[in-house]
Every structure is written in C-alpha cells, then in structure tokens.
Amino acid sequence: MKPIDRREFVKIGAAGLATAASLRHATGANDKIAVGVIGYGRQGVTNTRDFFKQPEVVIAAVCDVYEPHLNKAASDAKDKGHNPESYKDFRRVLDRKEIDAVIISSPDHWHALQAVMACDSGKDVYVEKPIATTIAEGRKMVDAARKNKRVVQVGTQQRSAEHFQKAAELVRSGAIGQVSEVRTWNLGNQFPDGMGYAADSDPPPDLDWDMWLGPAPKVPFNKNKFGVRPDGFSTFRWFWDYAGGMMTDWGVHWIDIVQWAMDVDGPDRIAAAGGKFGLKDNRDTPDTFEVIYQYPTWVLTYSNRELSGRGPIISEATGLKGGGITFHGTKGTLFVDRQGFEVIPERRRITRERAGEALMEPMSMKGTERHEQHVRNFIDCMKSRQNPISDIEIGHRSTSTCHLGNIAYRTRREIVWNVKEEKIESDKDANRYLDREYRKPWRL
C-alpha cells in the first residue's frame, strides 16, 4: 500500500471529522471507550494489559507490522472478551471513526507521526516515551494536540505513583533544603558481547520491513535493528535512526521526575562525554555516557554505564542501586526509584556541641503501583477533557532534555539552550539534530 503523509490523510478524512469529534466528546452513549492498539511488542503488551482492566474500555482494533505480534494482540484481546479487527497499517485504525483513542507502542521513530495523525483524525492518544526522536517532532505533537483539543498522555508513568509524587513534593517544599545537585543513573554490565553483532539479511516473511522502517532511512533488514527477542525489550533502541539509546529510553523517566520536582522546563547548558568502549556489537549509541546539565542554580548529571553494573550505596538500609535519582539538599539527600524513596538527613558540623545533629528526621516510603493508575488517569481525562498528569507538553520538555544530552555527545561540543524558543544558541551546526528528514513519501 502506498504511504500518504498526514496532510493528505487529513484532507481525505475531513468530511468525517465533525462526526468523529462529537463521538470523542460524548465518549459513547453506553459509557464505552473504543481503543485501537498500534504496536504490540513487549511494551505494547504491558500498556494494553492495563487498558484491559478498565471497565469502560473496548479494544476495537489491533495493529502491528509483525504478524506474530499482531496474532498475539488479537488472541490476547479475545481472551479478555474483546473482538478487535486486525490491521498491519496503522492508518486503517485511524480511519475507524468510532475509535475514541489509540495506544501508540510502536518503535520510537514512529511515535511522532502516528500521534500527530491520530490527533488530526480526532482521537485521544496514549503514547509511549520517548515521545519522539527529535525536539522538533515533539513540538509538532504538542501543536497537534492543542489544535485538535486532544487528550495526550505520555507513558512516563512514574508521575502516577504516590511515592514519586510525595518525593517531588518534599523537594519542592524545601524539606531537604536548597538543592544544588541532582544525580541520575542507569548502570548495567553487558560486557563483552552486548546484543551481539548481526549482519544484514533478508527480513522474515511475516514482517513488513519497509513499513517497520517507515520514515526512517531505507536500509537492509538487520535483526538487531528490528531487535525483537524473547528475553528483553527490542534492541532498536541502540540505533540513532530509531531511538536515542539509554538516554531517551530510561533517562527520560528519571529526568521527567527531576524537572517536575525542581519545577523547571529544561536546562541552560549541556555537556557530555562517553563512547563505545567495550561492547562488541553493532549498536550506534555509547556503552559509557556522562551528561552534565546546568540549570540557573543547580546541576543535574545523568550517567549510563553498560560495562559495570555496581551502583552507589545509598544507605545501609537501601544498599546498592543500579538506577535512580538523588536530590542533594542542604538539609538532607533524597533518593527515589521505583521501589520507593528514602531521605538521609544531613548532619551539622558547626560546633563541637552541635556536631552530628541531624537537620531533619529520616523518612522513607515504599514504592507504589504506577502504570494502571497512569492508564486510569488517561481514561478519566478523556471524560473530563482535562490535561492528564503526563500531558504531551510535559513529555515534550522531559524528552527534549534527553535529546540535548545526546546532541552534546554527538557534536562533542557544549550546548547553550534557549528553553523558551527551543533553539541551540551556541552552535549552528548542532541545530541540525533538532529535526530529521523523513523518508519519502512520509511527511510530518
């Protein structure tokens, strides 16, 4: 099937948009919400699982370019009492005027185009993080959501967890004092083979490789670029054409919480260093990576290491941590990850009489459920037409900060960022990374 760009799609479907819009706001006379699933890899399975739990939701369509995933999507839906139509082309899902919302769990390089087209077709959107592969794509997603008055929830589900909410509140309230430094990290050990080296080959017969590539450059099939495997998430994440490495895959979760707690939209200056120092595979992205973000009155670092998984010791109770966030304040340090948070009080060392005096009481909270609540928040906001907790503007800001780290690494230069205008002021050459060229005939 010949691809069409979103402008042609909107023109063709313009006659039905008024009807579609009224259906979206009504949310169905019988209080049912018809949902289409786009992408049913490992993350798609996780997302859809929690939509199955919502009593109003009916899975009306499933879509994947890989036949085993498509068959599993249809089978899982039928096991839960749904009877969806199956498609290999996501545009056929968007053609369905009775569908109220779509879940976009496709590879990262598809998120922007599919989300914008979904908004233009009058559908609300639950889109996986990172929202896009460039900053310009993310801004177009925000614009499409606002222009079409769509509810768009980003899959940064930590915002829906009570313990992350409490941790952010403690930081914002000044409970740990003035914060001068925040550290985030993801550490692992894939040495020496990583995902292994894969040569180009013919695609499997049950995969539409050209459609999988979509707007990305035309290249031969490579099993690591496709990346589907039974023992983990797809390895497309480690190639610049489709994603942004661990920085955008996991770093966006931590940085989203940091910018929320510190009440900022983005950094002013960014520097990065790293490289592919040890892994013997065909990934593009680094196996060792360090980014420093300068904000007006504090500093953020993000560290990713795939050659040694031993993380810092947070406290005797918490022990070693291979991923998380530490907010370092004048009264105490707050550590938070998905298992919970802990506050370690600072100690006064001003006089002999006051030596060792705690500036605050220690506290902790165990991790709380997040993903199902995140889906529930999206459904509730579809009904109220309020912005969800991870609204697309928020997701765009968090993802943009991650992209800036990658841009600093790829240019090997310090980046000076104009947060308000979303423009790099330090280096004209670096601005080329703010957007990407789509493979014809796809356009955004």
Side-chain angles (χ1 to χ4, degrees):
M1 181 177 292
K2 181 183 177 182
I4 58 175
D5 63 37
R6 73 177 182 91
R7 294 171 181 84
E8 294 175 274
F9 177 86
V10 174
K11 184 177 180 181
I12 292 169
L17 284 183
T19 302
S22 65
L23 284 171
R24 300 299 83 78
H25 289 289
T27 322
N30 59 356
D31 294 325
K32 293 298 181 181
I33 296 175
V35 174
V37 178
I38 301 174
Y40 205 70
R42 183 166 174 171
Q43 189 60 49
V45 171
T46 298
N47 288 336
T48 309
R49 174 195 66 200
D50 285 330
F51 275 85
F52 283 142
K53 297 176 183 177
Q54 311 310 312
E56 311 97 316
V57 168
V58 174
I59 301 300
V62 293
C63 175
D64 203 292
V65 299
Y66 185 44
E67 194 168 331
H69 285 175
L70 182 60
N71 292 340
K72 177 173 173 53
S75 176
D76 287 353
K78 288 177 181 177
D79 286 346
K80 296 293 184 179
H82 303 260
N83 188 31
E85 293 290 332
S86 296
Y87 304 96
K88 291 186 177 180
D89 187 328
F90 73 95
R91 291 168 297 183
R92 303 292 74 82
V93 178
L94 303 186
D95 284 340
R96 296 269 300 276
K97 294 180 177 61
E98 73 277 16
I99 289 180
D100 301 295
V102 293
I103 310 166
I104 298 176
S105 306
S106 50
D108 298 357
H109 68 288
W110 268 113
H111 291 176
L113 183 58
Q114 291 173 340
V116 169
M117 291 178 71
C119 288
D120 285 344
S121 69
K123 291 164 175 51
D124 294 329
V125 177
Y126 185 102
V127 60
E128 258 310 313
K129 57 80 211 167
I131 64 164
T133 58
T134 68
I135 293 172
E137 287 177 308
R139 177 48 61 191
K140 291 175 183 176
M141 294 169 77
V142 177
D143 292 345
R146 298 298 183 255
K147 179 185 71 175
N148 295 289
K149 296 181 171 57
R150 295 296 93 206
V151 173
V152 181
Q153 175 86 298
V154 177
T156 43
Q157 70 270 15
Q158 293 177 162
R159 284 192 179 230
S160 289
E162 185 182 355
H163 77 283
F164 276 108
Q165 294 169 1
K166 178 63 175 177
E169 179 186 331
L170 286 170
V171 173
R172 281 195 300 271
S173 70
I176 64 170
Q178 180 180 337
V179 175
S180 60
E181 183 179 23
V182 183
R183 291 184 172 272
T184 60
W185 66 95
N186 292 109
L187 310 177
N189 194 334
Q190 301 179 41
F191 185 80
D193 295 325
M195 62 182 171
Y197 180 82
D200 294 343
S201 65
D202 292 332
D206 48 11
L207 169 67
D208 186 340
W209 176 240
D210 187 72
M211 190 64 171
W212 188 94
L213 289 171
K218 178 74 170 178
V219 296
F221 174 81
N222 185 284
K223 72 173 186 178
N224 281 348
K225 292 179 178 179
F226 177 48
V228 172
R229 54 190 62 210
D231 57 345
F233 288 96
S234 175
T235 54
F236 73 80
R237 292 164 169 82
W238 318 135
F239 295 90
W240 295 124
D241 282 343
Y242 320 118
M246 190 64 86
M247 178 80 261
T248 58
D249 189 60
W250 245 107
V252 69
H253 281 303
W254 301 139
I255 287 172
D256 180 63
I257 296 298
V258 171
Q259 294 194 159
W260 186 30
M262 299 297 288
D263 195 23
V264 295
D265 287 330
D268 299 324
R269 306 174 77 91
I270 307 97
K276 188 177 175 184
F277 298 143
L279 296 184
K280 298 176 176 63
D281 59 22
N282 60 321
R283 75 181 62 207
D284 296 332
T285 55
D287 59 28
T288 305
F289 189 43
E290 193 81 18
V291 187
I292 301 175
Y293 297 98
Q294 175 73 59
Y295 294 80
T297 61
W298 55 284
V299 172
L300 165 66
T301 63
Y302 174 74
S303 303
N304 174 226
R305 185 173 67 234
E306 300 300 332
L307 305 178
S308 173
R310 187 177 178 86
I313 297 176
I314 303 303
S315 69
E316 290 185 9
T318 306
L320 294 169
K321 285 293 181 178
I325 309 168
T326 50
F327 296 89
H328 297 277
T330 53
K331 295 180 181 179
T333 291
L334 186 151
F335 167 79
V336 63
D337 67 1
R338 291 187 173 180
Q339 281 66 57
F341 76 76
E342 180 180 3
V343 175
I344 302 97
E346 193 77 1
R347 298 281 178 176
R348 290 189 187 272
R349 299 187 183 279
I350 300 172
T351 64
R352 181 176 299 177
E353 291 76 17
R354 301 182 69 176
E357 178 185 343
L359 294 179
M360 61 180 299
E361 292 297 319
M363 64 181 74
S364 64
M365 182 177 181
K366 290 185 178 180
T368 49
E369 172 60 37
R370 54 198 176 273
H371 197 276
E372 185 178 350
Q373 280 85 338
H374 206 57
V375 169
R376 186 65 242 174
N377 174 252
F378 174 60
I379 299 298
D380 290 342
C381 289
M382 285 184 65
K383 296 178 179 181
S384 70
R385 309 314 296 171
Q386 300 298 309
N387 287 339
I389 193 168
S390 287
D391 174 62
I392 185 62
E393 175 72 40
I394 295 168
H396 168 59
R397 295 294 187 176
S398 300
T399 304
S400 295
T401 299
C402 296
H403 287 319
L404 291 167
N406 279 337
I407 292 171
Y409 167 76
R410 297 179 77 178
T411 60
R412 302 295 181 179
R413 299 185 183 99
E414 183 185 42
I415 300 299
V416 178
W417 179 240
N418 186 319
V419 179
K420 184 176 181 181
E421 296 184 13
E422 298 187 349
K423 181 168 57 178
I424 295 173
E425 297 183 335
S426 56
D427 188 335
K428 290 183 179 179
D429 181 61
N431 278 289
R432 66 190 174 97
Y433 288 105
L434 296 181
D435 206 352
R436 64 178 176 135
E437 184 177 350
Y438 275 32
R439 181 169 65 108
K440 294 180 180 179
W442 299 103
R443 289 192 301 166
L444 179 62

